[in-house]
Amino acid sequence: MDENKSYLYDFIKGLWKENPVLVQLLGMCPTLAVTNAVENAIAMSVAVVFVLTASAIIISLIRKLIPAQVRIASYIVVIATFVTMADRYLAAFYPAQSKALGPFIPLIVVNCIILGRMEAFASKNGVFRSILDALGMSFGFAIALLLMSSFREILGNGTWLNMRVLGSWWDNWMVMILPPGAFLTLGTIVGVSRFIQTKLKKA
Amino acid sequence: MDLLIIFVSALLINNFVLSYFLGICPFLGVSNKLSSAVSMGMAVTFVMTITAVVTWPIYHLILAPYHLEFLEIVSFILVIASLVQFVEMFIRKTSEAIYDALGIYLPLITTNCAILGFALIAVLKNYTYIETIVFGVGAGLGFTLALVIMAGIREELDFADVPESLKGPGITLLVAGILALAFMGFAGLIK
């Protein structure tokens, strides 16, 4: 594999083949909790893109200075710093979103996707490749979140990003916006994406 | 009376797993065997109670008086990480069997969002010290309850004829959805 190709692969593997949510089943808590409206899913995705990329830059820069025994603690401190920044920014400029997401912005600290990428990739690779990997993974996360929230908001409320898409004949499926709808939607999407992937492998 | 309401509400109505979506990773990961589900639930309840005891004074006696609320996330996560380390050492010394059963999942309590989420929610709700501890015990037991019910269902599910692509996480999530529907029935319990 030549250089360019491997750089490209660093980025695109997170989108589908190693999609953190649909394939690796990481970061399920925010995926289930914030996808009751597309608006919330977008706010969450932006926060994750920022935190994951910024922490990947810092960790890959200082990876040779961190002693192996305390690496997890150091990752958490770096991640927590960026999460605090994202949390304060959201609270100051978008108070409505910050309120809707509740404790889930601070909870990005313990999101397994971020810690997982630090451990598996940023601590072993250079800055440029770590950025590509972080962007790919966080876009993969964003894609899964958008998919989930679109299904839930359209079926549950008849709207998409607060725009009416289904006519007044549509009876809102309230359950899709409530907690059970999150589990049912994610279960279906995971099942369908596995089905497609096994079909692709056979082909 | 208030304490009872907080306890029941954390246990059933606002169940951490099925209604707040906290602690989904261990919920999916450790719920395939009843025995490990029970010990995981107990470990989480124990850590959550100690978290309640420790984080309330940190926030209300140190951070809030000096207007350092923005350090909430960093300080909570460090306290929880060291607590989990302590619990792990304690279990390794006292019970080889439980240690073997929980294996990899014990260190993962650090990144279990139920624990940090609980500490953050308790601050948001502005509970007193006693209320926070009761809330912690209730939330931990609620987590255990959801995990144990799920493990019971999954042990039966092993004998069911599930479509290939739904096996594992897919069917578990669908079952969790139905379980969450059932738990919504508790919503009328407290007005």
Side-chain angles (χ1 to χ4, degrees), chain A residues 25 28-29 32-33 76-77 80 83-84 103-104 106-107 109-110 112 115 175 178-180 182-184 186-188 191 194-195, chain B residues 17-18 20-25 28 70 73-74 77 110-111 113 116-117 120 165-167 169-170 173-174 176-177 180-181 184:
Chain A
L25 299 169
M28 306 299 264
C29 305
L32 292 163
I76 289 184
V77 173
V83 170
T84 309
F104 280 95
L107 281 178
V109 177
V110 286
C112 349
L115 207 58
V175 71
L178 296 170
F183 286 111
L184 297 176
L186 188 60
T188 316
R194 289 215 164 177
F195 181 73
Chain B
V17 177
L18 297 170
Y20 282 175
F21 307 111
L22 296 167
I24 299 292
C25 302
L28 297 178
F70 64 92
I73 304 172
V74 182
I77 190 71
T110 314
T111 51
C113 34
L116 182 63
L120 295 168
S165 46
L166 272 181
K167 269 192 184 138
L173 285 164
L174 292 180
L181 266 180
M184 272 173 64

Side-chain angles (χ1 to χ4, degrees), chain B residues 120-142:
Chain B
L120 295 168
I121 290 172
V123 168
L124 275 182
K125 290 199 172 174
N126 224 347
Y127 282 152
T128 63
Y129 196 33
I130 304 293
E131 283 171 344
T132 304
I133 294 173
V134 172
F135 181 50
V137 177
L141 290 177

Side-chain angles (χ1 to χ4, degrees), chain B residues 157-184:
Chain B
L157 213 57
D158 284 345
F159 304 106
D161 185 20
V162 180
E164 192 56 43
S165 46
L166 272 181
K167 269 192 184 138
I171 192 72
T172 311
L173 285 164
L174 292 180
V175 171
I178 299 167
L179 204 58
L181 266 180
F183 266 69
M184 272 173 64

Side-chain angles (χ1 to χ4, degrees), chain B residues 62-186:
Chain B
I62 302 175
L63 296 183
Y66 296 102
H67 304 289
L68 294 170
E69 284 95 343
F70 64 92
L71 285 178
E72 183 188 356
I73 304 172
V74 182
S75 50
F76 280 10
I77 190 71
L78 288 178
V79 168
I80 292 166
S82 23
L83 270 177
V84 171
Q85 198 84 53
F86 165 75
V87 173
E88 191 195 353
M89 271 153 43
F90 182 76
I91 291 186
R92 187 186 291 182
K93 283 273 183 292
T94 48
S95 165
E96 196 73 19
I98 297 180
Y99 187 76
D100 287 344
L102 293 180
I104 181 173
Y105 286 100
L106 210 57
L108 284 182
I109 294 185
T110 314
T111 51
N112 182 341
C113 34
I115 308 279
L116 182 63
F118 152 76
L120 295 168
I121 290 172
V123 168
L124 275 182
K125 290 199 172 174
N126 224 347
Y127 282 152
T128 63
Y129 196 33
I130 304 293
E131 283 171 344
T132 304
I133 294 173
V134 172
F135 181 50
V137 177
L141 290 177
F143 178 84
T144 313
L145 182 69
L147 206 63
V148 168
I149 295 177
M150 197 63 202
I153 297 176
R154 278 183 77 176
E155 284 191 348
E156 296 297 316
L157 213 57
D158 284 345
F159 304 106
D161 185 20
V162 180
E164 192 56 43
S165 46
L166 272 181
K167 269 192 184 138
I171 192 72
T172 311
L173 285 164
L174 292 180
V175 171
I178 299 167
L179 204 58
L181 266 180
F183 266 69
M184 272 173 64
F186 289 119

Side-chain angles (χ1 to χ4, degrees), chain A residues 16 29 78 82 126 128 131 135 156 172:
Chain A
W16 169 249
C29 305
V78 171
F82 286 113
F128 186 59
I131 295 177
L135 284 176
N172 289 343

